[in-house]
Structures are given as structure tokens and as C-alpha cells.
Amino acid sequence: MKQLPNIHPGEVLREEFLDPMGITQYRLATDAGLPHSRVTAIIKGRRRVTAETALRLGRYLKTGPEFWLNLQTRFDLEEAQRTMGRQIEREIAVA
């Protein structure tokens, strides 16, 4: 069975918020007080959403910071499961 792709919070940011709302990365960065390079890196999936960034995104997009941190946590857990899950299962034997 083929695995579905793990969706980075940056993809959600772009596809579910910026594109439909007609907001550019530059405008988001400027209005939310974020470096443009950080916004670009998040959207490209090269950077994590930190607590500070979650606060700023939540405030600007009216979602709440927990939304962004939960997306990041789910992404991180899925990545860890994919890369280390089987190894961890072998290392930790269930009695």
C-alpha cells in the first residue's frame, strides 16, 4: 500500500490561506512581523513553525497558535515514524 505524502505546515499555509486569500508571502511577512526568508522557508518545507511564528500566524490569520503548532507536531511525528519507527519498534521489545 502506498503511503500518502506527509503535509508540511507550509503547504497548508500556502494552499489553504495565502492563495485563497490573495496574500503574498511578502505581505504576510511584513504584516505579521516575520522575516520574509522565514516565511519562504516554511512554505518550501525547509523550516519548522516555531512557537513565535505560530503566535504571529495565529494572530494574523485568526486561527490561533495551537493550529500551527499542532500541524508542525503532526508533521514531525509522521516524519519520525517514517524514518525511525521500525528501528524503534525493534529496539524496544514489548514484554
Side-chain angles (χ1 to χ4, degrees), residues 23-40:
I23 299 172
T24 65
Q25 293 177 31
Y26 180 79
R27 180 174 165 206
L28 171 65
T30 301
D31 291 352
L34 294 163
H36 183 259
S37 59
R38 184 184 310 174
V39 171
T40 299

Side-chain angles (χ1 to χ4, degrees), residues 46-82:
R46 295 190 307 228
R47 184 176 176 133
R48 301 180 78 253
V49 174
T50 64
E52 177 195 350
T53 301
L55 285 168
R56 292 178 181 278
L57 290 175
R59 174 82 176 191
Y60 184 74
L61 297 168
K62 297 174 178 52
T63 59
E66 298 85 2
F67 176 79
W68 299 103
L69 288 177
N70 287 338
L71 284 175
Q72 186 64 59
T73 299
R74 289 184 61 101
F75 177 82
D76 292 345
L77 283 170
E78 180 66 28
E79 285 298 299
Q81 177 65 35
R82 289 176 186 215

Side-chain angles (χ1 to χ4, degrees), residues 14-26:
R14 180 178 46 82
E15 291 185 11
E16 301 295 327
F17 291 91
L18 299 187
D19 290 350
M21 296 171 81
I23 299 172
T24 65
Q25 293 177 31
Y26 180 79

Side-chain angles (χ1 to χ4, degrees), residues 8 13 44 65 81:
H8 189 273
L13 176 60
K44 290 185 176 186
Q81 177 65 35

